[in-house]
Amino acid sequence: MNIAIVGLGVIGGSFAKGLQAAGYNNVYGIDVSESTLKTAVNQGMIKKGFVEANDILQDMDVIMISLYPNQIAPFVEQYKNILKDGSILTDVTGVKAAIIEKVSKVLPSTVDFVFAHPMRGSEKKGIIGADHTRFIGANALITPIPTNKEASLQLIEKLYKEIGFDQVTRVSPGKHDEQIAYVSQLMHVLSVAVVNSQQASEETLTFAGNSFQELTRIADINGELWSELFLNNRTALLTSIEHFETELNAMKLTLADNDEDELKKIFKQATSKRREWY
Amino acid sequence: MNIAIVGLGVIGGSFAKGLQAAGYNNVYGIDVSESTLKTAVNQGMIKKGFVEANDILQDMDVIMISLYPNQIAPFVEQYKNILKDGSILTDVTGVKAAIIEKVSKVLPSTVDFVFAHPMRGSEKKGIIGADHTRFIGANALITPIPTNKEASLQLIEKLYKEIGFDQVTRVSPGKHDEQIAYVSQLMHVLSVAVVNSQQASEETLTFAGNSFQELTRIADINGELWSELFLNNRTALLTSIEHFETELNAMKLTLADNDEDELKKIFKQATSKRREWY
């Protein structure tokens, strides 16, 4: 089986390493950077690297597109005429419905596209951050579309499991986006808003403890990527922010009213819900 | 030097352990629970335990009050007539101005009170969570008041350093409360609001990654303690929430307007500010 990884950044590079480690010998890399490809070959991540997708794509059975969200549909459109019949494409994007809509408009019927979301990001960028062990124990989501063949879905699920993912769950694109807006994108919104607060200063660290450090970690954000992720999911994200604000306002009210009983009730609910999860 | 720890919870117990480890042999415990005192003696945390503060307080040189915020002034008032002349009291409360105001009304002029805030909390409760190594490398704040003797401030600073604290910084009570509202209390507000969102469900963990787990950790909150901390600092906390909301609204606007340039600017600012700190 010939596998191409398109885009050897931190995620693509990690997949390449993971697939090699899992025993796949025919993993090829496609990247705009010659030096990235050289690094990938030298580190044994890929068998060979190509700057021109045209030179290799027609021989690939699986094509994992690890590009920025807005680059995926244009990539498919550009190379749709050379894709091997029956080949399986897949992505690693953190939003689904908008990407599926764009890709579906250009996808040839001779290939299958399994939309997937490996859930283990990184603040790092580029191939130097690639490390397949990051996926060990991580979860992934697959968002099937009506045209997917069951065999294609199962192949991608198998590859994920083989490189260390724990749970690989199928979920509808709409539900994916709604939940990701809540559990991931909202966290980034909050972290960024905290760091950008006018209260932030050079002295902040004199006062800060663990919780501030943890909560602001993801404010060191890849803005190029996350602006695309946010805007491709902006309706769901705005809804998540509104649900959050409902709870924020409830807490503000207890402060304004000096209402200890209500505040304790709110804390009790949070404690009990958090403990159900972890 | 005779030292009493009043309230052998997770913080008081940790201080007792730390002081013993630092070579102070005359550390006594005062607690409402006989079994807590027994545990403390058995674990070598204190020399002797007392349910009745009356039985020991008059002999103490340093009295560390590790009670809930609203119990501190009543404790001082109850025992003010038996305190040894020249003794030094200190607290471990996470808010300052409101506590100082209440304590100042009842504090005899024959003793000194050094208001302090060790900044290393815990989700654990009670003496079983006591562990003095938690303080190693932690920071603490001292909020001097005009009546403090320099020698008293220095003694408390010395004790903190001896049990492992890294930086012990003096700061005005007002500034303390303003900054703590931002770096600590606001984090708890956000975490609780996230967990209480109506989007939270049994399925949440299928979608959640590291950031959700980290950000919601402190929603498992000691509601009895934190309701007192919030309400004793509610003006500053409301201000911190408002500054946060300003940034949240700026981000909402970029989503509503699909404004990629402005969103990238916001991310850039956050990334650069976060990197100045860590």
Side-chain angles (χ1 to χ4, degrees), chain A residues 71-134:
Chain A
Q71 297 175 316
I72 296 172
F75 180 87
V76 174
E77 182 159 33
Q78 186 173 356
Y79 298 105
K80 63 182 176 185
N81 295 322
I82 63 162
L83 299 173
K84 186 174 167 180
D85 279 8
S87 62
I88 300 168
L89 286 72
T90 186
D91 73 326
V92 296
T93 314
V95 292
K96 289 283 155 277
I99 305 305
I100 290 171
E101 194 191 333
K102 291 172 191 170
V103 169
S104 297
K105 285 182 184 152
V106 295
L107 192 71
S109 60
T110 49
V111 302
D112 203 1
F113 200 123
V114 175
F115 294 91
H117 177 193
M119 293 193 294
R120 185 62 59 89
S122 169
E123 309 91 83
K124 292 177 185 156
K125 276 168 117 174
I127 197 163
I128 52 158
D131 172 12
H132 66 288
T133 62
R134 77 172 58 250

Side-chain angles (χ1 to χ4, degrees), chain B residues 65 67-80 83 89 91 93 98-108 113 115 228 232:
Chain B
I65 306 174
L67 299 172
Y68 276 25
N70 290 344
Q71 297 174 317
I72 297 172
F75 180 88
V76 173
E77 182 158 34
Q78 187 175 354
Y79 298 105
K80 64 181 176 186
L83 299 173
L89 287 70
D91 74 327
T93 313
I99 305 305
I100 290 170
E101 194 191 335
K102 291 171 192 171
V103 168
S104 296
K105 285 181 185 154
V106 295
L107 191 71
F113 200 123
F115 294 91
E228 291 191 15
N232 274 301

Side-chain angles (χ1 to χ4, degrees), chain A residues 230-231 234-235 238 241-242, chain B residues 249-259 263:
Chain A
F230 274 22
L231 294 177
R234 62 203 186 91
T235 310
L238 279 167
I241 293 173
E242 279 155 24
Chain B
N249 289 333
M251 245 181 293
K252 281 171 72 180
L253 199 63
T254 67
L255 295 173
D257 294 350
N258 208 359
D259 187 345
L263 189 51

Side-chain angles (χ1 to χ4, degrees), chain A residues 175 182 194-195 199 203 205 213-214 216-217 220 234 240 245 252 255 273-275 277, chain B residues 175 182 194-195 199 203 205 213-214 216-217 220 234 240 245 252 255 271 273-275 277:
Chain A
K175 181 161 195 178
Y182 171 51
V194 164
V195 170
Q199 286 199 282
E203 291 178 308
L205 287 200
Q213 181 168 10
E214 276 185 325
T216 61
R217 180 181 62 83
D220 185 349
R234 62 203 186 91
S240 285
E245 287 178 313
K252 281 171 71 180
L255 295 173
K273 284 175 81 176
R274 179 59 166 68
R275 287 188 184 172
W277 289 330
Chain B
K175 180 158 194 179
Y182 171 51
V194 164
V195 170
Q199 287 199 282
E203 292 178 307
L205 286 201
Q213 181 169 8
E214 275 184 327
T216 61
R217 180 180 62 83
D220 185 349
R234 63 203 186 91
S240 284
E245 286 178 315
K252 281 171 72 180
L255 295 173
T271 297
K273 283 175 82 175
R274 178 60 165 66
R275 288 187 184 172
W277 289 330

Side-chain angles (χ1 to χ4, degrees), chain B residues 144-159:
Chain B
I145 56 172
T147 53
N148 279 148
K149 294 195 180 79
E150 177 60 29
S152 309
L153 297 168
Q154 285 182 11
L155 176 67
I156 298 301
E157 284 164 351
K158 179 169 163 280
L159 293 179

Side-chain angles (χ1 to χ4, degrees), chain A residues 22-248:
Chain A
Y24 291 91
N25 298 316
N26 299 311
V27 177
Y28 300 89
I30 299 170
D31 199 280
V32 291
S33 158
E34 288 270 14
S35 79
T36 294
L37 292 168
K38 199 176 283 180
T39 303
V41 170
N42 289 343
Q43 296 195 2
M45 289 160 63
I46 56 171
K47 193 168 180 176
K48 203 172 166 193
F50 299 85
V51 170
E52 279 299 328
N54 277 315
D55 295 341
I56 181 82
L57 224 48
Q58 58 277 7
D59 300 323
M60 295 296 110
D61 302 298
V62 173
I63 300 165
M64 180 173 281
I65 306 174
S66 184
L67 299 173
Y68 276 26
N70 291 344
Q71 297 175 316
I72 296 172
F75 180 87
V76 174
E77 182 159 33
Q78 186 173 356
Y79 298 105
K80 63 182 176 185
N81 295 322
I82 63 162
L83 299 173
K84 186 174 167 180
D85 279 8
S87 62
I88 300 168
L89 286 72
T90 186
D91 73 326
V92 296
T93 314
V95 292
K96 289 283 155 277
I99 305 305
I100 290 171
E101 194 191 333
K102 291 172 191 170
V103 169
S104 297
K105 285 182 184 152
V106 295
L107 192 71
S109 60
T110 49
V111 302
D112 203 1
F113 200 123
V114 175
F115 294 91
H117 177 193
M119 293 193 294
R120 185 62 59 89
S122 169
E123 309 91 83
K124 292 177 185 156
K125 276 168 117 174
I127 197 163
I128 52 158
D131 172 12
H132 66 288
T133 62
R134 77 172 58 250
F135 295 138
I136 294 172
N139 293 337
L141 301 169
I142 306 267
T143 53
I145 56 172
T147 53
N148 279 147
K149 294 194 180 79
E150 176 61 27
S152 309
L153 296 168
Q154 284 182 12
L155 176 67
I156 298 302
E157 283 164 352
K158 179 169 160 282
L159 293 179
Y160 270 69
K161 292 275 187 178
E162 285 174 341
I163 64 175
F165 281 88
D166 181 16
Q167 285 183 43
V168 185
T169 308
R170 295 187 194 183
V171 60
S172 75
K175 181 161 195 178
H176 171 279
D177 289 354
E178 195 182 276
Q179 288 291 314
I180 289 299
Y182 171 51
V183 302
S184 170
Q185 297 191 329
L186 176 62
M187 304 305 105
H188 289 75
V189 168
L190 303 183
S191 186
V192 166
V194 164
V195 170
N196 282 348
S197 165
Q198 70 168 73
Q199 286 199 282
S201 75
E202 284 173 17
E203 291 178 308
T204 298
L205 287 200
T206 306
F207 300 90
N210 302 351
S211 59
F212 188 80
Q213 181 168 10
E214 276 185 325
L215 203 137
T216 61
R217 180 181 62 83
I218 52 177
D220 185 349
I221 196 167
N222 176 342
E224 300 288 323
L225 173 60
W226 281 87
S227 58
E228 292 191 15
L229 292 172
F230 274 22
L231 294 177
N232 275 299
N233 199 32
R234 62 203 186 91
T235 310
L237 180 51
L238 279 167
T239 301
S240 285
I241 293 173
E242 279 155 24
H243 289 313
F244 164 82
E245 287 178 313
T246 301
E247 306 307 319
L248 181 63

Side-chain angles (χ1 to χ4, degrees), chain A residues 260-261 263-268 271, chain B residues 67-71 125 220-232:
Chain A
E260 189 170 1
D261 287 345
L263 189 52
K264 280 184 184 167
K265 250 186 238 167
I266 288 172
F267 286 149
K268 208 167 195 167
T271 297
Chain B
L67 299 172
Y68 276 25
N70 290 344
Q71 297 174 317
K125 275 168 116 172
D220 185 349
I221 194 167
N222 177 341
E224 300 288 323
L225 173 61
W226 281 87
S227 58
E228 291 191 15
L229 291 171
F230 275 22
L231 295 176
N232 274 301

